[in-house]
Amino acid sequence: MILSVHATKGGVGVTTLAASLALAERDRPVLLVDLAGDLHHALGIDPGDRPGVIDWLHSDAAPGQLDQLVIDADPGVELLPTSDPASWRASAPEPRWAGLAHWLLDRSAVDGSRVVIDAGHRPIGVGLADACAHRLLVTRRCYLTLRTTAHADPRPTAAVLVSEAGRSLRRADVEATLRCPVISELAHDVALSNRVYAGLLLVGRPPRSLLRAMRASWQRLESESVRSLAA
């Protein structure tokens, strides 16, 4: 399964959620794909002076060369890092996005791995978006943000709701606006955010409550995929 995680603006928690989804998976290997440029910082990993996935998108390198860019992040978790500013990626040719999608699909088919893409808050190519079994939106109870997202293309297939005190919108309001299910609702965790900013996510690990919520999210996404195939 290929899953993209995105938001309509920065600072919502996309990188934290993408990393937590990977770390919560205990039964299958996971490949984290960094299209936002923050994952290696959050994980406290130094990829060194090497090209990344953004460089590949803007090159004519063969898909097989992506294998050489993958690094170990944690037992059972690998990272396809980026090195160039993620703001450059929107101009990558569409065939390159499709090539990345085919490589990810082939890799997942070979070892049964899950792929989690940290897409940040900028659009990804259509070829990659279409290859994602789910496009997971990370959002807060902000009406203006939700209205903007409701008209985005491609649309999210599911959402994670980050709750903050003082917001009046209900979960049902969010689902009605986005026209997709909220598969998890998480409280904003300042301490966790500070650990991510400090590159200490792997050192202390995400809270157990978050990992449990992410495992439940995987199960919900699997169920949604089964229902879609049956329909």
Side-chain angles (χ1 to χ4, degrees), residues 20-90:
S20 297
L21 280 164
L23 296 173
E25 176 56 70
R26 295 180 294 189
D27 300 324
R28 303 183 187 182
V30 178
L31 174 64
L32 275 167
V33 180
D34 186 7
L35 294 178
D38 297 325
L39 267 172
H40 67 279
H41 294 302
L43 296 171
I45 295 173
D46 181 6
D49 185 17
R50 55 189 292 161
V53 63
I54 302 300
D55 301 283
W56 184 89
L57 283 169
H58 288 274
S59 74
D60 58 0
Q65 292 189 334
L66 285 165
D67 291 295
Q68 303 172 22
L69 307 182
V70 176
I71 59 177
D72 292 328
D74 200 57
V77 179
E78 292 182 309
L79 172 66
L80 178 58
T82 187
S83 58
D84 282 347
S87 59
W88 296 1
R89 72 170 191 241

Side-chain angles (χ1 to χ4, degrees), residues 144-222:
L144 294 179
T145 299
L146 293 173
R147 288 294 298 170
T148 300
T149 308
H151 299 288
D153 186 28
R155 294 173 46 77
T157 61
V160 169
L161 185 57
V162 180
S163 297
E164 299 171 293
R167 300 284 186 172
S168 59
L169 288 177
R170 301 170 302 164
R171 178 172 180 154
D173 297 325
V174 175
E175 292 181 326
T177 303
L178 296 177
R179 288 176 287 167
C180 70
V182 171
I183 62 168
S184 186
E185 187 170 352
L186 307 170
H188 177 57
D189 188 334
V190 176
L192 178 59
S193 296
N194 290 336
R195 281 169 49 198
V196 171
Y197 296 148
L200 298 175
L201 187 59
L202 281 180
V203 175
R205 319 294 292 183
R208 291 182 180 179
S209 58
L210 176 57
L211 293 179
R212 285 196 298 268
M214 293 301 96
R215 292 184 191 113
S217 296
W218 278 120
Q219 294 173 357
R220 179 75 183 272
L221 291 170
E222 288 279 11

Side-chain angles (χ1 to χ4, degrees), residues 3-6 13-16 18-19 32-39 89 116-121 124:
L3 167 68
S4 68
V5 186
H6 70 284
V14 172
T15 295
T16 302
L32 275 167
V33 180
D34 186 7
L35 294 178
D38 297 325
L39 267 172
R89 72 170 191 241
V116 180
I117 301 171
D118 180 354
H121 60 279
I124 61 177

Side-chain angles (χ1 to χ4, degrees), residues 2 35 53 56-59 61-64 66 89 92-107 117 124-132:
I2 300 180
L35 294 178
V53 63
W56 184 89
L57 283 169
H58 288 274
S59 74
L66 285 165
R89 72 170 191 241
E94 186 55 42
R96 299 300 288 173
W97 288 108
L100 175 59
H102 288 307
W103 178 80
L104 292 172
L105 288 168
D106 288 344
R107 183 185 177 92
I117 301 171
I124 61 177
V126 175
L128 181 58
D130 287 347
C132 295

